[in-house]
Amino acid sequence: MRITTRRRPSVPDPKPCEHCGRLLAPRTVEVEFGMQGTSEVFAGWEPCGCEGAVAARAEWEAGRERAEHAAEEARWERTLESSGIPPRYRGATHPWAARLAGRLSAGDGVYLHGPNGTGKTTLACAAALICMRNGMGVKFAVATKLLDGLREFGDGQRELLESLVRCDLLIVDDLGKEGAATPRAAEKLFDLFNDRYNAQTLADPKPILVTSNFPRGEVAARVSQGGSGLAIASRLKETTYAVPMDGEDWRKGGARER
Ligand SMILES: [Zn+2]
């Protein structure tokens, strides 16, 4: 024999409003308990309409909004921190940022090149911030530091590389700056670009954004003498639009081969 125990409704008595003393009725909802039928379940007291109670609810709501805002800010700070974008660029803005972000969001890689002082890194970071606000996972790596980090190969490097392959958008800043890297590091950099290239799908196009003082045709020899530099340059040519930062072409919306 099956014994079922009907749940006892546990609905408290009315209670007085703490602001005006008026008795407030308990509210209940009907809840189904499977085979046992339905039961009334307590769901809080009726809200009081007195001035004190209304003000208290408004104060509570404002507090909740402040807490949500603070949590959102903290999340954003953590996102910024883990992106690797340098602190001084975390508020970067640039007139072309939205346009570049649009292109990156669409999955197109971009190679920004031009002399120092043309705002390449500012533009790259400003666009990255827009992409991040739109939910893209971004990793920012300074090329020289990245190449230094790739000289040795261990668990730390493996994790770093995996995160750089996995992220939605990879930014490599100032490629070609410090002359030749070690052949091994250059090879690893090629692997990184190549892994992203091989992992891309229509849903996850894995664009890269490179900034450099040199056009793509010159960057090969600056990254590494020999095969890896050429392989990197060739991969970049396949996966990025070259945009010179003298400005003219970008303003016209085009991308020029160099
Ligand atoms: Zn009241």
Side-chain angles (χ1 to χ4, degrees), residues 14-40:
K15 75 159 194 184
C17 169
E18 56 188 284
H19 302 284
C20 68
R22 184 167 80 81
L23 274 186
L24 304 172
R27 292 189 299 185
T28 59
V29 288
E30 289 258 297
V31 175
E32 269 195 61
F33 287 105
M35 300 295 286
Q36 300 166 26
T38 61
S39 183
E40 272 193 308

PDB file of all heavy atoms in Angstrom, residues 14-40:
ATOM      1  N   PRO A  14      -1.194  37.228   8.829  1.00  0.00           N
ATOM      2  CA  PRO A  14      -0.871  38.594   8.369  1.00  0.00           C
ATOM      3  C   PRO A  14       0.128  39.258   9.311  1.00  0.00           C
ATOM      4  O   PRO A  14       0.142  38.937  10.510  1.00  0.00           O
ATOM      5  CB  PRO A  14      -2.220  39.309   8.415  1.00  0.00           C
ATOM      6  CG  PRO A  14      -3.231  38.217   8.277  1.00  0.00           C
ATOM      7  CD  PRO A  14      -2.642  37.011   8.967  1.00  0.00           C
ATOM      8  N   LYS A  15       0.947  40.154   8.751  1.00  0.00           N
ATOM      9  CA  LYS A  15       1.872  40.866   9.654  1.00  0.00           C
ATOM     10  C   LYS A  15       1.796  42.365   9.400  1.00  0.00           C
ATOM     11  O   LYS A  15       1.506  42.784   8.272  1.00  0.00           O
ATOM     12  CB  LYS A  15       3.298  40.340   9.466  1.00  0.00           C
ATOM     13  CG  LYS A  15       3.974  40.816   8.211  1.00  0.00           C
ATOM     14  CD  LYS A  15       5.488  40.709   8.295  1.00  0.00           C
ATOM     15  CE  LYS A  15       6.105  41.526   7.145  1.00  0.00           C
ATOM     16  NZ  LYS A  15       7.548  41.413   7.076  1.00  0.00           N
ATOM     17  N   PRO A  16       2.059  43.145  10.419  1.00  0.00           N
ATOM     18  CA  PRO A  16       1.934  44.600  10.243  1.00  0.00           C
ATOM     19  C   PRO A  16       3.090  45.182   9.426  1.00  0.00           C
ATOM     20  O   PRO A  16       4.213  44.701   9.513  1.00  0.00           O
ATOM     21  CB  PRO A  16       1.969  45.147  11.685  1.00  0.00           C
ATOM     22  CG  PRO A  16       2.620  44.082  12.493  1.00  0.00           C
ATOM     23  CD  PRO A  16       2.403  42.768  11.797  1.00  0.00           C
ATOM     24  N   CYS A  17       2.763  46.172   8.581  1.00  0.00           N
ATOM     25  CA  CYS A  17       3.808  46.904   7.836  1.00  0.00           C
ATOM     26  C   CYS A  17       4.730  47.578   8.835  1.00  0.00           C
ATOM     27  O   CYS A  17       4.265  48.177   9.810  1.00  0.00           O
ATOM     28  CB  CYS A  17       3.163  47.958   6.929  1.00  0.00           C
ATOM     29  SG  CYS A  17       4.336  49.109   6.209  1.00  0.00           S
ATOM     30  N   GLU A  18       6.011  47.482   8.630  1.00  0.00           N
ATOM     31  CA  GLU A  18       6.950  48.055   9.604  1.00  0.00           C
ATOM     32  C   GLU A  18       6.990  49.575   9.517  1.00  0.00           C
ATOM     33  O   GLU A  18       7.592  50.227  10.352  1.00  0.00           O
ATOM     34  CB  GLU A  18       8.354  47.457   9.418  1.00  0.00           C
ATOM     35  CG  GLU A  18       8.917  47.617   8.036  1.00  0.00           C
ATOM     36  CD  GLU A  18      10.230  46.838   7.864  1.00  0.00           C
ATOM     37  OE1 GLU A  18      11.244  47.335   8.383  1.00  0.00           O
ATOM     38  OE2 GLU A  18      10.204  45.770   7.216  1.00  0.00           O
ATOM     39  N   HIS A  19       6.326  50.136   8.495  1.00  0.00           N
ATOM     40  CA  HIS A  19       6.343  51.597   8.350  1.00  0.00           C
ATOM     41  C   HIS A  19       5.053  52.242   8.867  1.00  0.00           C
ATOM     42  O   HIS A  19       5.098  53.250   9.535  1.00  0.00           O
ATOM     43  CB  HIS A  19       6.566  51.975   6.890  1.00  0.00           C
ATOM     44  CG  HIS A  19       7.834  51.403   6.341  1.00  0.00           C
ATOM     45  ND1 HIS A  19       9.071  51.925   6.633  1.00  0.00           N
ATOM     46  CD2 HIS A  19       8.052  50.316   5.556  1.00  0.00           C
ATOM     47  CE1 HIS A  19      10.016  51.189   6.040  1.00  0.00           C
ATOM     48  NE2 HIS A  19       9.414  50.206   5.385  1.00  0.00           N
ATOM     49  N   CYS A  20       3.906  51.614   8.553  1.00  0.00           N
ATOM     50  CA  CYS A  20       2.645  52.252   8.941  1.00  0.00           C
ATOM     51  C   CYS A  20       1.797  51.386   9.871  1.00  0.00           C
ATOM     52  O   CYS A  20       0.792  51.838  10.405  1.00  0.00           O
ATOM     53  CB  CYS A  20       1.829  52.629   7.707  1.00  0.00           C
ATOM     54  SG  CYS A  20       1.206  51.188   6.807  1.00  0.00           S
ATOM     55  N   GLY A  21       2.183  50.140  10.053  1.00  0.00           N
ATOM     56  CA  GLY A  21       1.464  49.286  10.984  1.00  0.00           C
ATOM     57  C   GLY A  21       0.246  48.585  10.399  1.00  0.00           C
ATOM     58  O   GLY A  21      -0.370  47.754  11.058  1.00  0.00           O
ATOM     59  N   ARG A  22      -0.125  48.905   9.175  1.00  0.00           N
ATOM     60  CA  ARG A  22      -1.283  48.246   8.563  1.00  0.00           C
ATOM     61  C   ARG A  22      -0.997  46.756   8.429  1.00  0.00           C
ATOM     62  O   ARG A  22       0.126  46.357   8.115  1.00  0.00           O
ATOM     63  CB  ARG A  22      -1.522  48.849   7.166  1.00  0.00           C
ATOM     64  CG  ARG A  22      -2.764  48.304   6.458  1.00  0.00           C
ATOM     65  CD  ARG A  22      -3.112  49.156   5.233  1.00  0.00           C
ATOM     66  NE  ARG A  22      -2.282  48.845   4.060  1.00  0.00           N
ATOM     67  CZ  ARG A  22      -2.506  47.803   3.235  1.00  0.00           C
ATOM     68  NH1 ARG A  22      -3.495  46.962   3.468  1.00  0.00           N
ATOM     69  NH2 ARG A  22      -1.719  47.597   2.194  1.00  0.00           N
ATOM     70  N   LEU A  23      -2.023  45.914   8.648  1.00  0.00           N
ATOM     71  CA  LEU A  23      -1.830  44.466   8.523  1.00  0.00           C
ATOM     72  C   LEU A  23      -1.743  44.072   7.051  1.00  0.00           C
ATOM     73  O   LEU A  23      -2.600  44.451   6.251  1.00  0.00           O
ATOM     74  CB  LEU A  23      -2.982  43.711   9.191  1.00  0.00           C
ATOM     75  CG  LEU A  23      -2.861  43.453  10.686  1.00  0.00           C
ATOM     76  CD1 LEU A  23      -4.015  42.567  11.140  1.00  0.00           C
ATOM     77  CD2 LEU A  23      -1.519  42.813  11.042  1.00  0.00           C
ATOM     78  N   LEU A  24      -0.712  43.338   6.709  1.00  0.00           N
ATOM     79  CA  LEU A  24      -0.502  42.938   5.312  1.00  0.00           C
ATOM     80  C   LEU A  24      -0.803  41.456   5.172  1.00  0.00           C
ATOM     81  O   LEU A  24      -0.315  40.633   5.955  1.00  0.00           O
ATOM     82  CB  LEU A  24       0.949  43.212   4.891  1.00  0.00           C
ATOM     83  CG  LEU A  24       1.414  44.660   5.077  1.00  0.00           C
ATOM     84  CD1 LEU A  24       2.909  44.781   4.824  1.00  0.00           C
ATOM     85  CD2 LEU A  24       0.624  45.600   4.162  1.00  0.00           C
ATOM     86  N   ALA A  25      -1.620  41.133   4.160  1.00  0.00           N
ATOM     87  CA  ALA A  25      -2.020  39.732   3.961  1.00  0.00           C
ATOM     88  C   ALA A  25      -0.884  38.925   3.346  1.00  0.00           C
ATOM     89  O   ALA A  25      -0.133  39.447   2.523  1.00  0.00           O
ATOM     90  CB  ALA A  25      -3.232  39.682   3.035  1.00  0.00           C
ATOM     91  N   PRO A  26      -0.738  37.672   3.777  1.00  0.00           N
ATOM     92  CA  PRO A  26       0.245  36.805   3.106  1.00  0.00           C
ATOM     93  C   PRO A  26      -0.264  36.468   1.705  1.00  0.00           C
ATOM     94  O   PRO A  26      -1.470  36.367   1.487  1.00  0.00           O
ATOM     95  CB  PRO A  26       0.271  35.558   3.985  1.00  0.00           C
ATOM     96  CG  PRO A  26      -1.054  35.543   4.663  1.00  0.00           C
ATOM     97  CD  PRO A  26      -1.483  36.970   4.826  1.00  0.00           C
ATOM     98  N   ARG A  27       0.647  36.319   0.765  1.00  0.00           N
ATOM     99  CA  ARG A  27       0.259  35.899  -0.590  1.00  0.00           C
ATOM    100  C   ARG A  27       0.711  34.461  -0.799  1.00  0.00           C
ATOM    101  O   ARG A  27       1.744  34.041  -0.275  1.00  0.00           O
ATOM    102  CB  ARG A  27       0.899  36.814  -1.642  1.00  0.00           C
ATOM    103  CG  ARG A  27       0.321  38.225  -1.576  1.00  0.00           C
ATOM    104  CD  ARG A  27       0.766  39.080  -2.738  1.00  0.00           C
ATOM    105  NE  ARG A  27       2.222  39.237  -2.746  1.00  0.00           N
ATOM    106  CZ  ARG A  27       2.851  40.035  -3.615  1.00  0.00           C
ATOM    107  NH1 ARG A  27       2.184  40.704  -4.528  1.00  0.00           N
ATOM    108  NH2 ARG A  27       4.156  40.140  -3.567  1.00  0.00           N
ATOM    109  N   THR A  28      -0.070  33.741  -1.571  1.00  0.00           N
ATOM    110  CA  THR A  28       0.279  32.330  -1.800  1.00  0.00           C
ATOM    111  C   THR A  28       0.197  32.022  -3.289  1.00  0.00           C
ATOM    112  O   THR A  28      -0.434  32.750  -4.052  1.00  0.00           O
ATOM    113  CB  THR A  28      -0.689  31.387  -1.064  1.00  0.00           C
ATOM    114  OG1 THR A  28      -2.013  31.638  -1.530  1.00  0.00           O
ATOM    115  CG2 THR A  28      -0.634  31.584   0.438  1.00  0.00           C
ATOM    116  N   VAL A  29       0.872  30.966  -3.669  1.00  0.00           N
ATOM    117  CA  VAL A  29       0.708  30.441  -5.038  1.00  0.00           C
ATOM    118  C   VAL A  29       0.372  28.955  -4.931  1.00  0.00           C
ATOM    119  O   VAL A  29       0.769  28.282  -3.983  1.00  0.00           O
ATOM    120  CB  VAL A  29       1.992  30.621  -5.889  1.00  0.00           C
ATOM    121  CG1 VAL A  29       2.193  32.069  -6.254  1.00  0.00           C
ATOM    122  CG2 VAL A  29       3.206  30.062  -5.173  1.00  0.00           C
ATOM    123  N   GLU A  30      -0.386  28.469  -5.911  1.00  0.00           N
ATOM    124  CA  GLU A  30      -0.716  27.048  -5.983  1.00  0.00           C
ATOM    125  C   GLU A  30       0.452  26.315  -6.629  1.00  0.00           C
ATOM    126  O   GLU A  30       0.910  26.698  -7.709  1.00  0.00           O
ATOM    127  CB  GLU A  30      -1.953  26.850  -6.874  1.00  0.00           C
ATOM    128  CG  GLU A  30      -3.244  27.338  -6.258  1.00  0.00           C
ATOM    129  CD  GLU A  30      -4.050  26.176  -5.719  1.00  0.00           C
ATOM    130  OE1 GLU A  30      -4.449  25.311  -6.527  1.00  0.00           O
ATOM    131  OE2 GLU A  30      -4.252  26.124  -4.477  1.00  0.00           O
ATOM    132  N   VAL A  31       0.949  25.317  -5.942  1.00  0.00           N
ATOM    133  CA  VAL A  31       2.057  24.537  -6.510  1.00  0.00           C
ATOM    134  C   VAL A  31       1.626  23.080  -6.617  1.00  0.00           C
ATOM    135  O   VAL A  31       1.015  22.545  -5.687  1.00  0.00           O
ATOM    136  CB  VAL A  31       3.324  24.659  -5.638  1.00  0.00           C
ATOM    137  CG1 VAL A  31       4.429  23.761  -6.173  1.00  0.00           C
ATOM    138  CG2 VAL A  31       3.798  26.107  -5.596  1.00  0.00           C
ATOM    139  N   GLU A  32       1.917  22.471  -7.751  1.00  0.00           N
ATOM    140  CA  GLU A  32       1.582  21.056  -7.921  1.00  0.00           C
ATOM    141  C   GLU A  32       2.677  20.182  -7.348  1.00  0.00           C
ATOM    142  O   GLU A  32       3.857  20.416  -7.586  1.00  0.00           O
ATOM    143  CB  GLU A  32       1.422  20.743  -9.413  1.00  0.00           C
ATOM    144  CG  GLU A  32      -0.003  20.913  -9.896  1.00  0.00           C
ATOM    145  CD  GLU A  32      -0.190  20.265 -11.249  1.00  0.00           C
ATOM    146  OE1 GLU A  32       0.005  19.042 -11.350  1.00  0.00           O
ATOM    147  OE2 GLU A  32      -0.502  21.004 -12.198  1.00  0.00           O
ATOM    148  N   PHE A  33       2.277  19.175  -6.576  1.00  0.00           N
ATOM    149  CA  PHE A  33       3.245  18.217  -6.046  1.00  0.00           C
ATOM    150  C   PHE A  33       2.980  16.841  -6.629  1.00  0.00           C
ATOM    151  O   PHE A  33       2.663  15.896  -5.917  1.00  0.00           O
ATOM    152  CB  PHE A  33       3.161  18.170  -4.514  1.00  0.00           C
ATOM    153  CG  PHE A  33       3.743  19.397  -3.860  1.00  0.00           C
ATOM    154  CD1 PHE A  33       2.912  20.366  -3.314  1.00  0.00           C
ATOM    155  CD2 PHE A  33       5.115  19.590  -3.810  1.00  0.00           C
ATOM    156  CE1 PHE A  33       3.448  21.502  -2.728  1.00  0.00           C
ATOM    157  CE2 PHE A  33       5.649  20.714  -3.214  1.00  0.00           C
ATOM    158  CZ  PHE A  33       4.819  21.686  -2.669  1.00  0.00           C
ATOM    159  N   GLY A  34       3.067  16.739  -7.917  1.00  0.00           N
ATOM    160  CA  GLY A  34       2.919  15.451  -8.593  1.00  0.00           C
ATOM    161  C   GLY A  34       1.634  14.743  -8.188  1.00  0.00           C
ATOM    162  O   GLY A  34       0.544  15.312  -8.273  1.00  0.00           O
ATOM    163  N   MET A  35       1.741  13.490  -7.723  1.00  0.00           N
ATOM    164  CA  MET A  35       0.591  12.659  -7.377  1.00  0.00           C
ATOM    165  C   MET A  35      -0.154  13.205  -6.167  1.00  0.00           C
ATOM    166  O   MET A  35      -1.284  12.838  -5.890  1.00  0.00           O
ATOM    167  CB  MET A  35       1.050  11.221  -7.066  1.00  0.00           C
ATOM    168  CG  MET A  35       1.747  10.538  -8.204  1.00  0.00           C
ATOM    169  SD  MET A  35       0.630  10.275  -9.588  1.00  0.00           S
ATOM    170  CE  MET A  35      -0.377   8.922  -8.927  1.00  0.00           C
ATOM    171  N   GLN A  36       0.511  14.038  -5.409  1.00  0.00           N
ATOM    172  CA  GLN A  36      -0.085  14.476  -4.153  1.00  0.00           C
ATOM    173  C   GLN A  36      -1.041  15.651  -4.315  1.00  0.00           C
ATOM    174  O   GLN A  36      -1.542  16.188  -3.332  1.00  0.00           O
ATOM    175  CB  GLN A  36       1.013  14.857  -3.165  1.00  0.00           C
ATOM    176  CG  GLN A  36       1.938  13.704  -2.873  1.00  0.00           C
ATOM    177  CD  GLN A  36       3.200  14.173  -2.181  1.00  0.00           C
ATOM    178  OE1 GLN A  36       3.205  15.190  -1.509  1.00  0.00           O
ATOM    179  NE2 GLN A  36       4.260  13.423  -2.350  1.00  0.00           N
ATOM    180  N   GLY A  37      -1.259  16.065  -5.543  1.00  0.00           N
ATOM    181  CA  GLY A  37      -2.180  17.162  -5.761  1.00  0.00           C
ATOM    182  C   GLY A  37      -1.504  18.507  -5.608  1.00  0.00           C
ATOM    183  O   GLY A  37      -0.280  18.612  -5.678  1.00  0.00           O
ATOM    184  N   THR A  38      -2.296  19.521  -5.377  1.00  0.00           N
ATOM    185  CA  THR A  38      -1.719  20.850  -5.291  1.00  0.00           C
ATOM    186  C   THR A  38      -1.733  21.322  -3.847  1.00  0.00           C
ATOM    187  O   THR A  38      -2.456  20.813  -2.995  1.00  0.00           O
ATOM    188  CB  THR A  38      -2.522  21.858  -6.140  1.00  0.00           C
ATOM    189  OG1 THR A  38      -3.847  21.908  -5.629  1.00  0.00           O
ATOM    190  CG2 THR A  38      -2.523  21.450  -7.596  1.00  0.00           C
ATOM    191  N   SER A  39      -0.891  22.317  -3.604  1.00  0.00           N
ATOM    192  CA  SER A  39      -0.812  22.866  -2.267  1.00  0.00           C
ATOM    193  C   SER A  39      -0.568  24.365  -2.378  1.00  0.00           C
ATOM    194  O   SER A  39       0.060  24.829  -3.321  1.00  0.00           O
ATOM    195  CB  SER A  39       0.323  22.176  -1.515  1.00  0.00           C
ATOM    196  OG  SER A  39       0.371  22.655  -0.198  1.00  0.00           O
ATOM    197  N   GLU A  40      -1.056  25.096  -1.402  1.00  0.00           N
ATOM    198  CA  GLU A  40      -0.804  26.535  -1.378  1.00  0.00           C
ATOM    199  C   GLU A  40       0.537  26.789  -0.707  1.00  0.00           C
ATOM    200  O   GLU A  40       0.807  26.252   0.371  1.00  0.00           O
ATOM    201  CB  GLU A  40      -1.896  27.239  -0.579  1.00  0.00           C
ATOM    202  CG  GLU A  40      -3.105  27.623  -1.411  1.00  0.00           C
ATOM    203  CD  GLU A  40      -3.989  28.581  -0.637  1.00  0.00           C
ATOM    204  OE1 GLU A  40      -4.337  28.242   0.517  1.00  0.00           O
ATOM    205  OE2 GLU A  40      -4.288  29.649  -1.171  1.00  0.00           O
TER     206      GLU A  40
END
